[in-house]
Amino acid sequence: MLETYNIGAPTERPPVLIAHGLFGSARNWGVIAKRMSERGRVVTVDMRNHGHSFRGAPHDYPAMAGDLAEVIENLGAQVDVIGHSMGGKAVMVLALTRPDLVRRVVVGDIAPVGYSHTQQGMIDAMRALDLSRVETRGDADRQLAEFVDDAGVRAFLLQSLDVKARAWRLNLDQLEADMAQVLGFPEISGTFEGPVLMLSGGASDYVLPEHRAAVKALFPAARFAKIPGAGHWLHAEKPREFEAACAAFLG
């Protein structure tokens, strides 16, 4: 089962389950989860092949949705789900295949479509690090800067580096092997009739007007909202605004 992190005490509200994106981990969501736990129980997970969760094939959305379903069944209650990017696709597949487990869905800056960009460059950059020369996170950052210009992206990737063990908490081989699955979206028949919030970054191009038909075909009750000035990592760039939008939608 996935590594899970429980914050807050159960209340009359459904628990909130948060699924992170590619190369992320539950710890990326620590601050938001802590603040949201003032309203009730919040559960964050390390997705398969990430963080402290198990390594395994395949790394595709039916498998990831199955992992999330197992976590929810162990909780013994219907949940609200929040997923960002890869995690957003996983919670969409979860809602479509196991609607009995899900009350409301927040999807962070991703659509149920295939994308043409690749994250292979990030995998290559992480592999290029000479971990034998890494004593501190600063050492790793200086090496990574040769391949990744953006300091924010480097900081995000380095959250998955265990400096002491000199190892990535990511199964880079499996993520590379299944990158086409991660970028795509499976063919699924049926719909999820419950409330869905498609929350995107105003400065991001991941959710476009031409994606609305695909969203509405699967999620007829979907609503769309944007966080002005936020890019793809909207929860990291505008955490208070992201949290407020989720709180208002989840009720």
Side-chain angles (χ1 to χ4, degrees):
M1 195 165 107
L2 299 181
E3 188 73 23
T4 60
Y5 306 83
N6 292 272
I7 307 165
T11 66
E12 72 281 359
R13 298 177 185 275
V16 175
L17 175 68
I18 300 177
H20 65 77
L22 184 63
F23 307 137
S25 66
R27 67 179 295 191
N28 302 151
W29 290 83
V31 174
I32 287 176
K34 191 169 191 309
R35 288 181 53 81
M36 291 187 73
S37 71
E38 294 168 11
R39 303 155 49 82
R41 189 177 188 183
V42 179
V43 180
T44 58
V45 299
D46 285 341
M47 301 292 275
R48 63 170 54 204
N49 298 307
H50 291 72
H52 295 285
S53 281
F54 65 91
R55 276 45 180 152
H59 194 87
D60 63 16
Y61 292 112
M64 285 185 263
D67 295 340
L68 296 175
E70 186 180 10
V71 171
I72 298 167
E73 285 170 340
N74 270 18
L75 290 174
Q78 196 177 48
V79 302
D80 292 331
V81 291
I82 299 171
H84 172 248
S85 198
M86 178 192 77
K89 286 185 172 181
V91 301
M92 284 190 276
V93 173
L94 169 70
L96 290 166
T97 55
R98 292 298 307 274
D100 56 305
L101 300 178
V102 177
R103 187 186 74 125
R104 286 177 172 247
V105 181
V106 179
V107 178
D109 207 61
I110 203 75
V113 299
Y115 288 83
S116 59
H117 63 261
T118 179
Q119 300 295 339
Q120 184 62 42
M122 298 295 180
I123 291 176
D124 293 341
M126 285 184 274
R127 279 208 181 111
L129 252 68
D130 181 355
L131 294 173
S132 69
R133 295 195 292 117
V134 171
E135 300 285 348
T136 67
R137 203 162 296 276
D139 294 338
D141 184 63
R142 281 186 287 277
Q143 283 196 53
L144 200 58
E146 297 176 32
F147 309 97
V148 180
D149 293 333
D150 190 308
V153 174
R154 292 200 306 274
F156 166 71
L157 294 176
L158 289 173
Q159 285 190 46
S160 290
L161 179 65
D162 184 336
V163 174
K164 194 173 179 181
R166 292 176 171 167
W168 291 101
R169 293 195 189 100
L170 297 164
N171 184 354
L172 296 177
D173 290 346
Q174 193 63 50
L175 296 176
E176 179 178 43
D178 283 334
M179 185 60 67
Q181 305 294 329
V182 174
L183 296 175
F185 193 79
E187 288 284 336
I188 298 177
S189 59
T191 59
F192 175 73
E193 304 293 333
V196 175
L197 176 63
M198 303 295 294
L199 184 59
S200 56
S204 171
D205 61 359
Y206 274 69
V207 182
L208 300 171
E210 52 263 39
H211 295 150
R212 288 191 175 223
V215 172
K216 282 291 192 178
L218 297 171
F219 306 102
R223 289 152 53 183
F224 296 82
K226 290 189 177 185
I227 297 178
H232 181 57
W233 281 281
L234 65 176
H235 61 291
E237 296 170 32
K238 303 277 187 179
R240 289 300 180 95
E241 293 87 341
F242 183 90
E243 179 203 329
C246 290
F249 177 72
L250 298 178

